[in-house]
Structures are given as C-alpha cells and as structure tokens.
Amino acid sequence: MTARKSGSRLETEIERCRSEGQWDKIPELVRQLSAKLISNDDLGELLLGECKLQTYLKENPIKQGASPRGPRPKLVEVRKHLVAALDRGNLKADYLQEASLLMAKLCYVEGEYRDALGHYNKVNLDDMQLVGAPVYKLSMIAEAYATKGLCLEKVPAASPSLSNKNTGSPASNRSTTDREQEIINCYEKSGDIALLYLQEAEKALSAGMQNRSPKPGPTAQDLELGYFLETGLQRAHVIHFKNGNLTRGVGRFREILRAVENRTTQSLRMTIARQLAEILLRGMCEQSYWSPLEDPPTVSPLDDPTRQGHTHSKNYSLSRRPRVYSGENLFCPQENTEEALLLLLISESMANRDAVLSRIPEHNNDRIISLQSASVVYDLLTIALGRRGQYEMLSECLERAMKFAFEEFHLWYQLALSLMAAGKSARAVKVLKECIRLKPDDPTIPLLAVKLCIGPLHWLDEGECFAKMVIDMGEKAAEFRAKGYLAIGLVYSLKATDASLRSTQEEYQRKALGAFQRAQSLSPTDHLAAFYLALQLAVSRQIPEALGYVRQALQLQGDDVHSLHLLALLLSAQKHYHDALNIIEMALSEYPENFNLLYTKVKLESMCRGPEEALLTCKHMLQIWKSFYNLTNPSDSGRGSSLLDRAIADRRQLNAMTLPDFSDPETVSGSSSSHSGSELLTPTSPSTISTFSQLSSPLSLPSSPLSSPSSFLSSPSTSVFNHQPPPFPPLKNPSFFPPPPPPPPPPPPPVPTKTRTHSFCSHVTLRQLSSNCGLQDANTLGFSSMFSVCSVHATSIAASRVEQALSEVASSLQSSAPKQGPLHPWMTLAQIWLHAAEVYTGMSKPAEASACTQEAANLFPTSHNVLYMRGQIAELRGNMDEAKRWYEEALSINPTHVKTMQRLGLILHQLQRYSLSEKVLRDAVQVNSTAHDVWNSLGEVLQAQGNAAAATECFLTALELEASSPILPFTIIPRAL
C-alpha cells in the first residue's frame, strides 16, 4: 500500500515535470522510480530518452527555415533509450504511443523525414484522445502534428514512400491539392492543441498543482513554446497567404487571437495582432471585410483568382478545442480599419508594457528588439489613424512612445508630424527643434518649422531663424535653398505687414523682394517663387512689374488658383474690371467651390453686371456651404450627434482648406496671433443658422426681400459641425498695417438695444485655434478671419481681450450651449452673409441688409465687422447718431479697423466736429497709408477747416492710390509656405 502511494506521488511529480519542461529533474525521478520497483517496464528508458532529447533541443535549438544537421553523439544515446523502450515491448499502450512520437521527433531532428512519417502512420495521430489526456501529452500531440507537417513539406510530393502518384494527370493534381490540405490541417491542429496545452498548463499552475509536489515548480513565465509548438501556431497562415488564400489566413489569425490568452503566448499574440492589422490595412477593403463572428465568404475577392477551386477550408474537428472568449456585450469590430485599430492598440499596450528601457550594454540587443517592435506598431497606427484623420489620438499614442525615443529620430519626427496634423503647432515646433538636433543636415525639418511659424503661430522671429538655418546649409540643402529663401521672404513680407513705421515697412518689403528674387534665380521653374514675387510687388503697388511675374507663374503652373486670383486683382487695379471678371469665372470653372474667388466675383459683378447678379452668386455660395456640411441628415440636430464624431475623425479634410493671412490694412489683422493661450473658444448662436431650411429661396432678387429677421430666429437649432467638409478654399479677411501701440481703448459705449442680439461668441487667438481645431498647416490656418481680432500688436491684443470679454458676457445671456468644432466654417458662413448685406446696402435696401447682418451676428455678435455693417445700415437709414454708436463700439473692440475709422471720421465731419474727425482720419492713415478712401475723407475735412494746401495734397494722394487700388486687397491671397 505504501509502495503504491509512493509510486503514485512519483508518477504525479514526473507528470508535472514533463508538463512544465523541468527536464533536469527527470533523471533523479527515474532513479527513485527504479529503486521503488514500482514498475518493471521500460518507462525509465522512455523518460530518459525524452529528457535527453529535450535537453539537446534546448541547448541546440532548431532555427526557423534551417534543416537538421544529421546525427549527433548525444542523439545516439537518445536513440538507444527509445529503441530499448520500443523493442522490449513492456510499455503500456499509452507509453508506447509516446515512445513512437518521440522516435518520430528524433528522426526529424536527424533529417530522416520518411522514417518520421512512417512512425506517425503507425501511431495514427487522429485516433489519439485529447479528452482526459495529461497536460504533457497535449504538448506531445501538438508537436507531433507540427513535425508531421514539416516532414510532409520536406519529402517530395511524388515520394514512393507516400503514394504512387502519376504526375501530370488530373488524379495527380487532386492528390497534390489533398496533400497541401493535409499539411495545412497538420499545422492548424498543432496550433489548436498547442493553445489548449498552454491554457491547461497555466490552469494547472493556478490551481495549485505545484503545491502538491515535493518542491515548488517554476512559474508560468518559464514555460516556453519551443520550435515545434511555435511552428504549429505560425505556419498555417503563412501557407494560406503563400497560396493566395487570404480569407483562410485572416480566419486563422482570428482563431488564434480569440483563444483565451495566457502569459506564454503574449509575445506571439502581439506579433500576430500586428500582422493581422497590416493585412487588414493593406490587403482588405470595406467591401471584402467580414465580421470576426461571421463565417468567411466562400468566394472572396481577397483570394487568388487563379486558385479558385483550390482554396482550402477547415474540414477537420478536434474532440477538445482551446477555450475562446465569449459572453454578452463583447465588442466586435464592424469594418477593417476598426479591427486594425483595435489590434494595434492592443499591440501598443503590450509593447509599452514589455518595453526594455535599460541603457546598460547587457540589455542593448533586447532594447533594440523592443524598439523595433514598437516602431512597427506605431507606423501601422499612423496609417490606420491617418486614414480617419484621428491625428489627435495619433499624437497621444506617439507621446506614449517617447519612452523609447531617446536619440531615435524616427519617433520624434513622427510625433512632430502628428502634432502638426492635430493642430498643436506650438508643441510641434518644440519637437521639430529636437529633430533638428538629431538630424542637423536635413533641410526639410526647419522648413516644416517655418511653415508653422509663419502660418498658424505667426512666430515671425522664430520663423526667420529656421529659414536662415536652411539658407546657411549652403550646398547641403541643394534644391531646398530656394525654399529657404522663399520662406524668409514670406517672413519679411509678413513683418512688413505688421510694421507700424513706414520706414520699417519699406525695409522689410525690400528684404522680401530680394529674398523672392533670390529664390526665383535658384529655382527658375518654381511657380511659387514667381507668384510670391508678383504678390509682393502688387502689395508694394508696382502693378506692371507684378503683372509680368504673375504671367510667368501662370506659364509654369497654368492652373494655380492663387496666381489666377492675383491676375484678376491686378487687372482690377488697372480698372479692367470685365477682364478681371472673366479671369475669375475661368478660375471658378476649375475651382467652383473656392470661396475666395467667389467673394471677388461678388465685388466684380456688383460693379460690372449689377447687384442682382452679385446676389445670385451669394445664393450660390450659401448652397455650396450647405452641401459641404450636409445639414439634411436627420441625426444632425443638436450637439453631440454621431456625425460630430465623424467630423472630428475626418479632420484631414478640414486640414486641406486654405485660410489666408489677410494682412490688409483695411480690416483686422488676420495674419497675426497672440503667443499666449491654448484654450479653444468657439462661436455659438442662439438659433444656429436658421436659413438653411429656407435655402430653396435664400437670397432674393431686389423684387423679393431676402427674408425677415424674425424668420431667421424662429427656426430650430441645427448643428453645422456634424459633418466634416471636403477641402475648400480660403476666406476673405484683409488685415492691416498695424500702427504704434496707442493708449488702451476706452470702455465700450452703451450698446443700442433696438437691434442688438446677444449671443456667445469667442474669438480665438491663432495659437488657440491651431492647438484645438485641427487646422494645422500654413495654408490652412493661422489666420483668424475678418471676425477675429488676433494681432501681435498691443492694440489688437487689447481688442481681442475686449471682444472676448463682450462675447463671454453675451454668452451668459443665452441659453444655447457653445457649438464645438473648427472655427473656419463659421467664419466662412458669416462672411457670406456680410457680403450679401454689403450688396443690399449698395442697393439701398436696409431691411434686407439688416436681415443678412443678423445672420452673421447670430454667429459672431461682437465682431467688429458685424458692428461696422450695422453702422452702415444705420447710415443708410439716415440715423447718424445710431451709426456713430455702432462705429464707436466696433472701434472699442478693434481700434485699428480702417473702414470703421473712415466712416466715423465722415460722420464726425458731418457733425462739424472737425478736429476730432481729423484726428480719427489721421490715425487711419497711420494704420494704412494706401487707403485712398481715407486720404480723400481727410482731404474733405481739411478743406472744411480751410486748409486748402493740405487738402490738395490729400486729394492728389487719394487719386494716385486709387489708380492702383484693386477691387479687394491683394492680401486676400494667403501667404504661406
């Protein structure tokens, strides 16, 4: 009785050691077993043979793709033990099967593939039971299937030891297909049983089996897959993909990933998840995708059409299968990108968890492997998230990768690009500085930094430094030197716009022209160099020279929208309005949704064809705006709909829009931004654009008024940002030549309440917009529109703060919540309404103009442009006191709005307050010395004061400037790298 109990304990300990791969303990246990005389069979020989074979394979691991190296002295002892166990015939049936499996495995290791197949045929692997089998035997069966598959691949198909095939016959082809199916089945069975073995081994450990042994066993982490189990798990899908059967390959990946995870397979799961994600991203489209919980299609476009009818499907069953994840409320992907993203996020989590960060030499190889593995995951994440425009999420993922990124340029550069795409321009510049340190000879990196500095950030000094880096590289920069001069020319051009002194302004203009000329000489085939040179000449009012260079730019790039636009503005400056309109219409035939061109068309049509045509163009712009934002979707009502998420997800489309710098003196500086602030402030309206439901008849001709203001306020709120627009062109937003900082503006005067509508409106600084809206490149943002008050000047910064404070007060009086999303589309829409209002003002229709202005006020109630237009309408009605109050309020928000200053000066002139009128108009001339209307008004005031000589000078200056004045400011065209 005691002997039986002792033997039972020994057998249990032997079984545990075999299951956990503790082969160093087997010889001692065999000695104890022999000393107890519990068994007189050859179990000891079997155990010693297995122990020595496994030890040999551990010391001399087989590498993937390598052939066995033939007999070895240590393997001779293994064969002696196994032959002795098999020849004596004293083994029990189960142990006899195990001995045959080990002999077949030994034959494979020695390169005797046919002998190995012979042993497997004797055993008949398919008859071996999995139910109730010990854990170690599951491992042996899984290895046996993998070894059999390897042998079948090694032995030629026409081998007489396998079958008598007549190659070339249909029967032979069928036999070849059947043999391929048999090989795949072997590997798939091996993989399934291997997963079952690992699950059961971990389960046994967690159940405390090791506590019943004399000595504690190893932890689960010590379990190793080994060559044969790893081959069984990985070889099947490789053959599927090699044969062009992507459907079965993807299915096999999913089967492995759905199995309940254990610690031994975590590394393998990360590899498989990454490989499956790559296939889903690169080899599968939405039409060929099927859910992981569905059966794969029998015919799929993924599979090789030349092998139709030869694809292999799963045609076997196992008596016991590995456990898979199941239950209620499990997430299941519905499309290929969604599944790929899920797999990559899982892989990223594993890569971060297993990261090797130690810098000591002993861990160098492990750290390199860990970095390479993580880099592949992050590259695939870039592809997956980039397709959906999820740059915010991508930047967050890459920030987590910074633990790997010490002195790793690739990850730093990826992070910088993702931050640019996410609109986090300030942080992107900081990361690009690190990239420049890691790779100082690459000119593209400082050029990217310049793009951000002169675009969304308006950090002109920093931009100048980066541009000089490229220029100073000399011959190292090669063809990028021209881009460096182009960049520094743009910096000087924008600095000239911001300059408050005429001398400083002229100096920067001269530097800008020199830089553009140098860029053109270095790259005479670059149309941008000729275009920006023409634009700078136009801003300097050198119209004939500018015409020559813009024609040269069009010869190099005939369909460039900005060159065509500049040509039209130059023609309008020469008073060839009909020719300019023809150019605009030709450009619109190529770019029909370009709002910038449409704004110019409205101005030209008002002059050439009458206001009725201009109103039709405004109506057309509203219809285009509506189509961009798809407001007809039923789920598009209110905030927080699913389409809002889609708009944010598809932000890459918004990033393609161009928003010009609009640095014209006649309006607020759109090309400037404050360096401080990072919080997004978004516009809102109490009854968001109600007129979209009325777009079937939006803008009426003069015989039919637009609609009443009450109708604008009665419609239900509609979310405009619940669908992301496709790329469309820039807005019109002239800015100004800022003056020296004046004293702080006075508190805003009392606001007329008769037509005032309170509504929340926040005008963001450029840095705020770039950090949160996702508008990231220089052609895209960086420039608040005519409704923003961003400027690096003290006056405009003060205006920004006043307008923001007024907007916050207005928002507190409204019950509607702020609307989230990019600011650009709101500015576009408000500008369309203001253009319509301006047309109606020119037609002397104050009611219709007021209705249009109210629509813009619903979006931006405290915008100085809205207040200026209300002043215009009040003037039209003959209410000069009210107009004066509106103008004063507009100037309290933006003290440097030239048009408002000019109109206020004229009203003061009419009120015979000549000194104050002269002061306001002289301030306006200081802000913009090229505004001919201001010079003319100043001449009238001086003439009324009896100063005929000074008035004559003003009139002559006005005439000279008017002769070269375009229909819209030249700076409506964006200046961006």
Side-chain angles (χ1 to χ4, degrees):
M1 185 72 178
T2 304
R4 254 198 313 272
K5 288 183 179 179
S6 176
S8 177
R9 285 197 301 270
L10 277 175
E11 290 175 357
T12 300
E13 181 65 12
I14 289 172
E15 182 178 318
R16 186 186 67 81
C17 291
R18 293 179 74 183
S19 299
E20 298 175 2
Q22 300 186 58
W23 305 112
D24 56 330
K25 296 183 178 181
I26 293 296
E28 177 61 22
L29 294 174
V30 170
R31 187 188 62 77
Q32 295 179 24
L33 186 64
S34 301
K36 296 293 182 180
L37 299 176
I38 299 302
S39 175
N40 57 359
D41 58 22
D42 296 310
L43 178 59
E45 295 286 350
L46 169 65
L47 294 175
L48 289 174
E50 180 184 24
C51 169
K52 292 181 178 180
L53 177 60
Q54 297 292 357
T55 303
Y56 173 82
L57 291 176
K58 189 173 182 179
E59 294 173 352
N60 305 276
I62 302 175
K63 296 181 179 179
Q64 292 286 348
S67 299
R69 294 161 292 185
R72 290 289 182 271
K74 290 185 179 180
L75 296 179
V76 174
E77 297 181 15
V78 175
R79 182 173 288 276
K80 287 181 181 179
H81 287 297
L82 296 178
V83 168
L86 289 169
D87 289 349
R88 293 174 188 171
N90 296 327
L91 288 173
K92 297 179 182 179
D94 290 342
Y95 291 138
L96 190 61
Q97 283 182 335
E98 294 175 13
S100 297
L101 295 180
L102 289 171
M103 181 60 76
K105 184 176 179 179
L106 174 64
C107 291
Y108 174 81
V109 173
E110 292 181 339
E112 300 294 336
Y113 307 125
R114 293 183 180 87
D115 293 344
L117 289 173
H119 285 289
Y120 287 131
N121 291 334
K122 292 178 183 177
V123 174
N124 194 359
L125 291 175
D126 293 336
D127 293 339
M128 300 186 73
Q129 291 298 315
L130 301 177
V131 179
V135 175
Y136 75 88
K137 193 164 187 179
L138 295 175
S139 174
M140 294 185 70
I141 297 173
E143 289 185 344
Y145 274 115
T147 308
K148 183 179 179 181
L150 289 168
C151 292
L152 289 172
E153 286 194 89
K154 297 285 186 181
V155 175
S159 173
S161 64
L162 297 176
S163 60
N164 295 320
K165 297 185 178 73
N166 295 319
T167 59
S169 65
S172 175
N173 292 335
R174 284 195 300 271
S175 299
T176 301
T177 304
D178 293 342
R179 188 162 181 270
E180 288 180 355
Q181 181 68 61
E182 182 182 3
I183 292 172
I184 292 173
N185 286 345
C186 285
Y187 288 131
E188 290 189 347
K189 290 177 181 177
S190 172
D192 291 342
I193 299 172
L195 291 173
L196 177 63
Y197 155 68
L198 293 170
Q199 290 174 355
E200 292 300 317
E202 190 168 270
K203 181 181 177 181
L205 288 173
S206 63
M209 181 176 288
Q210 69 275 24
N211 295 331
R212 296 192 294 271
S213 61
K215 295 181 181 180
T219 60
Q221 288 88 334
D222 292 333
L223 291 175
E224 296 181 0
L225 284 175
Y227 170 76
F228 296 101
L229 293 183
E230 190 170 343
T231 300
L233 286 167
Q234 293 189 335
R235 184 63 182 161
H237 56 259
V238 172
I239 297 177
H240 284 310
F241 295 137
K242 183 179 179 181
N243 293 339
N245 192 353
L246 265 68
T247 304
R248 279 296 304 135
V250 170
R252 184 60 188 165
F253 271 142
R254 287 172 169 177
E255 290 172 4
I256 296 175
L257 291 172
R258 288 187 63 195
V260 175
E261 182 181 3
N262 57 79
R263 284 170 289 189
T264 307
T265 59
Q266 283 180 349
S267 177
L268 176 66
R269 287 173 69 88
M270 186 180 78
T271 302
I272 290 178
R274 187 181 68 233
Q275 291 172 345
L276 177 55
E278 188 168 359
I279 291 170
L280 291 171
L281 290 173
R282 297 184 177 180
M284 184 180 291
C285 62
E286 294 180 1
Q287 288 73 23
S288 58
Y289 179 81
W290 75 98
S291 172
L293 300 181
E294 299 174 355
D295 294 330
T298 54
V299 178
S300 172
L302 296 176
D303 299 332
D304 186 355
T306 62
R307 295 183 60 87
Q308 291 293 338
H310 298 281
T311 56
H312 307 293
S313 58
K314 194 169 186 176
N315 59 358
Y316 68 89
S317 60
L318 296 175
S319 58
R320 191 179 175 194
R321 302 191 61 80
R323 299 188 305 278
V324 297
Y325 291 108
S326 61
E328 298 180 355
N329 300 323
L330 293 181
F331 174 76
C332 181
Q334 299 301 315
E335 57 180 356
N336 58 328
T337 308
E338 196 172 70
E339 182 175 352
L341 183 57
L342 175 64
L343 292 167
L344 291 172
L345 290 175
I346 293 173
S347 300
E348 186 217 3
S349 175
M350 293 181 175
N352 279 308
R353 181 194 59 200
D354 301 331
V356 178
L357 305 178
S358 175
R359 308 295 298 183
I360 62 176
E362 291 82 357
H363 295 163
N364 188 48
N365 290 335
D366 292 338
R367 189 182 69 256
I368 292 174
I369 294 172
S370 175
L371 171 64
Q372 290 174 344
S373 178
S375 295
V376 173
V377 172
Y378 286 113
D379 289 344
L380 291 173
L381 270 172
T382 302
I383 295 173
L385 293 172
R387 286 182 179 179
R388 292 305 184 87
Q390 289 282 5
Y391 302 114
E392 181 84 20
M393 184 176 181
L394 176 60
S395 64
E396 292 174 359
C397 291
L398 288 169
E399 283 175 3
R400 294 194 291 269
M402 286 297 100
K403 64 169 67 175
F404 303 96
F406 179 71
E407 299 295 322
E408 293 294 335
F409 171 80
H410 178 68
L411 287 176
W412 280 102
Y413 196 49
Q414 290 283 75
L415 176 61
L417 295 176
S418 68
L419 290 171
M420 287 180 63
K424 302 175 181 178
S425 304
R427 296 182 60 199
V429 170
K430 296 181 185 299
V431 177
L432 286 171
K433 288 180 180 178
E434 177 67 14
C435 294
I436 293 172
R437 185 188 68 80
L438 295 173
K439 208 170 183 181
D441 295 332
D442 189 346
T444 61
I445 305 172
L447 284 175
L448 286 174
V450 175
K451 182 183 180 71
L452 295 175
C453 289
I454 67 177
L457 297 174
H458 203 74
W459 294 355
L460 299 184
D461 291 336
E462 291 87 342
E464 183 179 359
C465 293
F466 287 122
K468 286 181 178 178
M469 286 183 189
V470 180
I471 295 172
D472 293 341
M473 288 182 187
E475 295 302 323
K476 293 181 182 179
E479 68 274 13
F480 291 102
R481 285 190 69 201
K483 291 292 183 185
Y485 280 106
L486 194 65
I488 202 167
L490 289 170
V491 170
Y492 289 144
S493 179
L494 292 172
K495 281 190 172 184
T497 297
D498 293 345
S500 57
L501 297 177
R502 185 63 178 270
S503 58
T504 306
Q505 186 182 107
E506 291 175 351
E507 179 186 356
Y508 280 128
Q509 286 180 346
R510 188 184 68 255
K511 287 184 177 181
L513 286 172
F516 290 140
Q517 289 169 349
R518 180 64 171 153
Q520 191 195 27
S521 65
L522 289 173
S523 182
T525 59
D526 184 6
H527 74 282
L528 287 177
F531 163 71
Y532 280 119
L533 180 55
L535 179 58
Q536 188 59 40
L537 289 168
V539 171
S540 303
R541 296 298 178 93
Q542 302 179 45
I543 305 301
E545 294 84 353
L547 275 169
Y549 282 109
V550 77
R551 289 193 177 105
Q552 183 177 341
L554 286 170
Q555 288 174 354
L556 296 171
Q557 186 74 27
D559 60 349
D560 180 56
V561 62
H562 299 312
S563 297
L564 290 170
H565 196 184
L566 178 58
L567 176 59
L569 292 178
L570 289 169
L571 290 173
S572 71
Q574 293 184 328
K575 311 312 175 210
H576 301 314
Y577 297 116
H578 290 279
D579 293 338
L581 182 56
N582 291 335
I583 295 294
I584 290 294
E585 290 178 339
M586 181 179 67
L588 284 170
S589 66
E590 292 290 333
Y591 306 94
E593 292 91 14
N594 189 308
F595 284 92
N596 221 14
L597 294 175
L598 289 168
Y599 299 147
T600 308
K601 184 182 178 184
V602 169
K603 287 282 190 180
L604 290 170
E605 282 181 334
S606 296
M607 182 166 293
C608 297
R609 299 175 182 173
E612 294 83 358
E613 290 290 330
L615 286 176
L616 289 176
T617 301
C618 291
K619 174 181 178 179
H620 178 60
M621 284 193 287
L622 283 174
Q623 291 170 337
I624 292 175
W625 197 97
K626 179 184 177 183
S627 67
F628 274 143
Y629 295 95
N630 192 21
L631 297 182
T632 59
N633 194 307
S635 64
D636 193 23
S637 59
R639 299 192 310 138
S641 73
S642 60
L643 287 179
L644 176 59
D645 300 331
R646 230 182 298 167
I648 298 173
D650 209 13
R651 191 173 289 166
R652 68 190 186 281
Q653 295 180 347
L654 187 63
N655 292 338
M657 296 189 299
T658 52
L659 192 63
D661 56 352
F662 295 120
S663 50
D664 186 78
E666 297 182 13
T667 61
V668 174
S669 171
S671 63
S672 308
S673 71
S674 171
H675 287 227
S676 62
S678 59
E679 301 167 359
L680 176 64
L681 300 173
T682 55
T684 182
S685 68
S687 62
T688 314
I689 317 312
S690 59
T691 319
F692 295 118
S693 61
Q694 308 164 1
L695 268 181
S696 56
S697 57
L699 284 175
S700 307
L701 294 181
S703 59
S704 173
L706 177 67
S707 51
S708 64
S710 60
S711 67
F712 295 138
L713 301 175
S714 60
S715 300
S717 177
T718 306
S719 176
V720 178
F721 288 107
N722 288 345
H723 182 72
Q724 189 63 34
F728 64 82
L731 305 178
K732 178 183 82 69
N733 244 348
S735 65
F736 60 94
F737 291 105
V751 180
T753 58
K754 182 163 60 175
T755 58
R756 175 75 177 211
T757 300
H758 293 283
S759 172
F760 176 79
C761 171
S762 300
H763 298 278
V764 297
T765 64
L766 192 45
R767 184 175 177 184
Q768 292 167 340
L769 179 61
S770 66
S771 299
N772 297 277
C773 289
L775 309 176
Q776 82 277 9
D777 61 46
N779 286 333
T780 304
L781 27 56
F783 313 113
S784 51
S785 77
M786 60 187 294
F787 313 107
S788 303
V789 288
C790 310
S791 175
V792 292
H793 301 288
T795 53
S796 291
I797 292 175
S800 175
R801 292 170 179 167
V802 171
E803 186 165 351
Q804 179 176 326
L806 290 176
S807 298
E808 291 171 353
V809 171
S811 69
S812 66
L813 302 177
Q814 294 296 324
S815 59
S816 59
K819 296 196 183 310
Q820 303 299 321
L823 197 61
H824 181 117
W826 295 98
M827 298 187 297
T828 304
L829 181 62
Q831 191 168 1
I832 294 171
W833 285 116
L834 288 180
H835 272 84
E838 187 176 356
V839 174
Y840 275 123
T841 302
M843 298 169 66
S844 299
K845 289 185 173 289
E848 291 83 351
S850 180
C852 294
T853 305
Q854 181 61 52
E855 284 297 323
N858 288 342
L859 290 169
F860 297 90
T862 57
S863 167
H864 63 278
N865 289 277
V866 172
L867 301 176
Y868 167 74
M869 186 55 65
R870 283 179 164 166
Q872 290 276 84
I873 296 169
E875 272 195 80
L876 184 61
R877 288 171 171 161
N879 193 338
M880 296 302 168
D881 290 334
E882 181 182 350
K884 178 174 173 290
R885 287 197 298 270
W886 284 120
Y887 291 143
E888 287 173 346
E889 183 178 352
L891 288 176
S892 70
I893 295 173
N894 180 16
T896 56
H897 189 226
V898 174
K899 288 185 177 180
T900 304
M901 298 170 76
Q902 188 242 345
R903 298 310 305 174
L904 180 60
L906 285 179
I907 289 179
L908 291 171
H909 170 54
Q910 294 176 19
L911 297 176
Q912 298 183 357
R913 300 177 64 180
Y914 299 123
S915 298
L916 184 56
S917 175
E918 181 183 354
K919 172 65 169 62
V920 171
L921 291 172
R922 286 191 181 276
D923 288 344
V925 168
Q926 178 68 22
V927 172
N928 181 12
S929 60
T930 61
H932 63 276
D933 290 338
V934 179
W935 283 104
N936 187 67
S937 300
L938 180 58
E940 292 178 2
V941 172
L942 292 173
Q943 186 179 24
Q945 290 178 311
N947 193 345
T952 302
E953 286 292 326
C954 291
F955 288 140
L956 290 175
T957 303
L959 283 173
E960 182 182 356
L961 291 173
E962 194 276 337
S964 61
S965 177
I967 193 73
L968 284 176
F970 290 114
T971 48
I972 189 177
I973 299 173
R975 286 174 287 179
L977 189 61

